[in-house]
Amino acid sequence: MKSTGQYPRWENISTEVDFILLGFSDVPKLQGFLFGVILIMYTTILMGNSLIIIITKVDASLQSPMYFFLGNFSFLEMCYVSVTAPRLLSDLHKQNRSISFLACAVQMYFFLILGATECFILTVMAYDRYVAICNPLLYHLIMNNRLCLQLATACWVSSIPVYTGFTYHVFSFSFCGSNQLNHFFCDVPPVVQRICGDIFMTQVLIYIIAVLIVTVPFILILGSYVNIISTILKLPSATGRAKAFSTCSSHLTIVILFFGSGILVYLKPVSSPYKGMEKIFSLIYTIVIPMFNPLIYCLRNKDVVAALRKFLLKRNDSKT
């Protein structure tokens, strides 16, 4: 480490320097409580989404494109939360908050890829509901097995080259100042703040990627639901309208929670009165909301509730 003016400059950071994730070290008396709460939430996420994956695979009534994508979404949520939660639990338990340069880069890389995948899968799920409600006679012709597989594959792999290049770009810089990151995982903002020199082009790159990966999918989802709601309101039967709303209400709720919390975390103004609470908002965004996703689908989707009840009854019968 060499000194260059006011701040130390890290040379060969990838082999010589660790980052320090401050996490929630500013509330030392709550470490045990936070560990217990986050462990419960993480376990709930894994169990709830695993259950959804199982019932969408074994129940004959859920063998449709809608539940194929729901199974993908549930598996994605398990992967997404596993990028941050185990590391946070380890830090809270061992109080060892150092993370190597490579581990930091890997964590950011998978967090970004899985976050982008979630945007894409939510968009595809909105398209599926659009076809089902606005073009019901052509639904099974359009949403055939081949297209569903192609869409799912595209969701999982399309962001890989983008974030491979972006992560390499960020971690190819030298870093100045303290190696402490005021966060509980290696998110983009705290890492970029430690870059030496002019970061204008990096900020422009972040903005362009955000437009392509977040804004465009969000606009497509909004467009889908404008058409969906317009079609539902034209249905002559109140029962038909209620059934149509029920098939997409779970997905719409998750879209609002995911994109709404993401905007609150990443797009709030610099002068926001919530400045300094980024870690709390990020905790809600990365762990709390994923915990509610399986609950939302189980409570608001009658088909999933019926399949879950049938599955649990079979399990009880097999034990007796």
Side-chain angles (χ1 to χ4, degrees):
M1 184 180 294
K2 299 179 181 179
S3 177
T4 56
Q6 184 179 1
Y7 298 106
R9 183 179 181 86
W10 298 341
E11 302 292 349
N12 299 322
I13 186 172
S14 59
T15 57
E16 294 181 5
V17 177
D18 290 345
F19 287 109
I20 305 296
L21 294 171
L22 295 181
F24 297 97
S25 58
D26 53 335
V27 283
K29 294 183 179 179
L30 294 179
Q31 302 296 293
F33 173 76
L34 286 173
F35 177 85
V37 170
I38 293 170
L39 180 61
I40 291 171
M41 289 193 294
Y42 183 47
T43 304
T44 302
I45 292 168
L46 296 182
M47 292 179 62
N49 285 291
S50 295
L51 196 55
I52 288 179
I53 292 171
I54 292 171
I55 62 175
T56 55
K57 291 292 184 183
V58 302
D59 194 284
S61 65
L62 301 184
Q63 302 306 304
S64 69
M66 176 181 177
Y67 298 107
F68 168 74
F69 291 120
L70 176 58
N72 272 264
F73 182 75
S74 295
F75 178 68
L76 170 64
E77 287 289 81
M78 295 168 64
C79 297
Y80 180 67
V81 76
S82 295
V83 173
T84 56
R87 174 77 208 193
L88 176 56
L89 288 170
S90 176
D91 289 346
L92 289 170
H93 178 64
K94 297 181 179 179
Q95 302 297 310
N96 177 20
R97 305 181 188 280
S98 65
I99 182 170
S100 70
F101 179 85
L102 179 60
C104 187
V106 170
Q107 186 182 52
M108 178 191 289
Y109 176 67
F110 282 105
F111 177 76
L112 292 173
I113 286 178
L114 294 173
T117 303
E118 185 152 352
C119 292
F120 296 151
I121 286 186
L122 287 173
T123 305
V124 170
M125 292 172 77
Y127 175 70
D128 172 73
R129 292 299 83 208
Y130 164 78
V131 176
I133 293 173
C134 299
N135 297 284
L137 298 179
L138 298 176
Y139 178 65
H140 291 290
L141 181 64
I142 295 173
M143 299 302 294
N144 55 69
N145 291 338
R146 181 180 179 183
L147 180 63
C148 290
L149 186 59
Q150 289 174 339
L151 288 173
T153 302
C155 289
W156 282 96
V157 306
S158 56
S159 64
I160 291 176
V162 174
Y163 282 123
T164 299
F166 176 76
T167 306
Y168 176 80
H169 169 79
V170 169
F171 284 89
S172 65
F173 283 98
S174 295
F175 293 81
C176 298
S178 171
N179 63 337
Q180 295 181 345
L181 304 180
N182 189 24
H183 216 304
F184 61 87
F185 71 99
C186 288
D187 201 1
V188 174
V191 173
V192 169
Q193 288 173 5
R194 294 289 178 256
I195 292 177
C196 290
D198 188 6
I199 60 172
F200 174 75
M201 291 307 300
T202 302
Q203 291 173 326
V204 170
L205 185 61
I206 292 171
Y207 176 78
I208 293 172
I209 293 175
V211 168
L212 294 174
I213 301 250
V214 180
T215 307
V216 171
F218 185 59
I219 292 172
L220 292 174
I221 292 172
L222 286 181
S224 296
Y225 273 101
V226 167
N227 285 283
I228 288 170
I229 293 172
S230 176
T231 301
I232 290 174
L233 293 176
K234 295 176 183 177
L235 294 176
S237 167
T239 303
R241 289 195 296 271
K243 183 177 180 181
F245 271 120
S246 69
T247 61
C248 57
S249 61
S250 302
H251 176 257
L252 184 57
T253 302
I254 288 174
V255 166
I256 293 171
L257 288 173
F258 178 76
F259 284 97
S261 59
I263 289 170
L264 190 63
V265 171
Y266 295 106
L267 298 181
K268 63 182 181 299
V270 176
S271 59
S272 169
Y274 303 109
K275 184 73 175 175
M277 296 186 65
E278 291 88 349
K279 288 181 289 187
I280 300 297
F281 290 141
S282 294
L283 186 66
I284 295 171
Y285 178 69
T286 58
I287 298 178
V288 177
I289 288 177
M291 181 186 69
F292 287 115
N293 290 346
L295 297 177
I296 289 169
Y297 267 104
C298 287
L299 294 176
R300 297 182 66 88
N301 190 301
K302 294 180 180 178
D303 292 336
V304 174
V305 171
L308 180 59
R309 186 180 295 115
K310 189 192 306 182
F311 175 77
L312 294 176
L313 287 174
K314 285 183 178 179
R315 292 282 296 177
N316 289 333
D317 291 342
S318 64
K319 288 180 180 180
T320 55

